[in-house]
Amino acid sequence: MTEMQGRVAIVTGSSRGIGRAIALELARRGCRVVVNYRSNAAQADEVVEQARATGGEAMAVQADVSLLAEAQQLVEATLAAYGTVDILVNNAGIARDTLLMRMSEEDWDAVLATNLKGAFNCAKAVQRTMLRKRAGRIINIGSVVGISGNVGQANYAAAKAGLIGLTKALAREFGSRGITVNLVAPGFIETDMTAGLSEQLITAAKERIPLERLGQPEDVAAAVAFFASDAAAYITGQVLCVDGGMAM
C-alpha cells in the first residue's frame, strides 16, 4: 500500500497527453482519480480503463473548466462519488498560436479562459473542502514559455506566466491551512501537440535543450506525483521546470 492509497485526485484535461500520464501515475500510486475532459468521452473512458487496469479507482467527468459553474459541477461530482478532494491538478490547456498581428481577440480570450481562468475556477471550487480539512495539494501545469516567452504565443505565454503568479498567491493564502500550491513547467514534451511539428522544428528545439532530446509525458507526471506526495509537504509556491534544461 502506498502513501497515496485512497486519496482523491482531480486531473483536468486528462483524456490525453500530459494530463493522461498524470492521471495514470496517480492511479498507479493508489489515488482515486477523476479524469476530466471537455469533449472526447471515448478517450476519457479509455484512460479510466487504463487506470483501473493498474489497480486504481477512476471515473470520467465531463466539464469545461473555463466556466466556473462547470468547474463547480466537476468538484460536486467528485464529492458525490468519493466524499472528498485531496489533490487538484490544473492541467487543462489549449493553444492558438499565431503572431500578435494576426491574433484575434477570440484567440486571446479562449486561451486565457481555459489555461488561466480554468485553474482559478477549479481552485475556487475545491477550496472549501481543502480548507475545512486543513490539507490539500494544488498542482498547476504551466510551461517554460511562461518564464521565457515565445514568438507566436503571446496568449499562451501570458496565461502560463499568470499561472505562476496565481500559484504563488494561493500558496501564501492557503499555507496556514496546510494546503500546498506548486507549479510544474514542462518544456518540449512529446504529445499530440508536438506530433504535428516538422522535423526541422523538432531539430531546432533539440538544439536549445542541453539534454538534446524531447521529454515524455511521464517525466511531467513524476514531478506532479512528487508535489502530491508526503515528501513535498514542506514545499509550496515553487516552480519546477521539467524541460531538459531548456529554460535555464
Side-chain angles (χ1 to χ4, degrees):
M1 184 178 287
T2 73
E3 64 176 58
M4 292 195 199
Q5 199 68 41
R7 290 185 190 172
V8 177
I10 296 173
V11 185
T12 69
S14 52
S15 64
R16 62 195 178 99
I18 289 170
R20 172 184 170 278
I22 293 166
L24 293 177
E25 179 62 23
L26 293 178
R28 195 179 65 75
R29 290 176 182 237
C31 288
R32 293 175 284 173
V33 178
V34 176
V35 176
N36 160 252
Y37 67 99
R38 187 176 62 177
S39 54
N40 199 325
Q43 270 187 329
D45 289 340
E46 208 174 290
V47 178
V48 168
E49 287 310 310
Q50 288 172 323
R52 288 175 180 163
T54 68
E57 247 184 278
M59 70 173 189
V61 177
Q62 192 279 330
D64 179 349
V65 297
S66 71
L67 305 169
L68 179 60
E70 294 202 21
Q72 287 169 332
Q73 286 163 12
L74 169 62
V75 172
E76 282 160 17
T78 304
L79 294 173
Y82 297 133
T84 192
V85 183
D86 300 294
I87 301 158
L88 167 66
V89 183
N90 284 312
N91 167 76
I94 61 169
R96 292 203 182 169
D97 299 349
T98 189
L99 296 173
L100 187 67
M101 64 175 69
R102 298 197 194 101
M103 190 176 288
S104 67
E105 186 180 9
E106 196 222 337
D107 288 337
W108 174 271
D109 289 347
V111 170
L112 269 288
T114 297
N115 299 20
L116 181 56
K117 193 183 175 203
F120 160 81
N121 288 341
C122 291
K124 196 167 174 59
V126 300
Q127 68 173 347
R128 187 175 294 162
T129 301
M130 289 186 176
L131 289 170
R132 194 183 295 128
K133 54 183 207 168
R134 302 182 79 88
R137 298 277 193 271
I138 297 174
I139 300 137
N140 296 320
I141 306 301
S143 168
V144 292
V145 168
I147 297 166
S148 60
N150 199 26
V151 173
Q153 289 193 305
N155 48 4
Y156 193 80
K160 296 301 190 178
L163 267 182
I164 293 173
L166 178 67
T167 298
K168 291 176 183 288
L170 294 185
R172 291 186 183 278
E173 211 168 296
F174 293 158
S176 64
R177 296 295 188 94
I179 300 162
T180 67
V181 189
N182 292 290
L183 182 140
V184 176
F188 240 104
I189 307 295
E190 281 188 39
T191 63
D192 293 352
M193 268 183 168
T194 57
L197 297 177
S198 68
E199 197 56 49
Q200 193 180 348
L201 271 172
I202 298 285
T203 302
K206 285 178 183 173
E207 283 167 7
R208 291 167 53 206
I209 301 168
L211 291 185
E212 298 182 344
R213 62 180 176 84
L214 304 192
Q216 298 300 316
E218 291 73 20
D219 295 323
V220 182
V224 171
F226 167 67
F227 276 139
S229 75
D230 292 347
Y234 198 56
I235 301 172
T236 196
Q238 298 305 304
V239 174
L240 176 59
C241 293
V242 179
D243 65 347
M246 184 174 154
M248 273 195 293

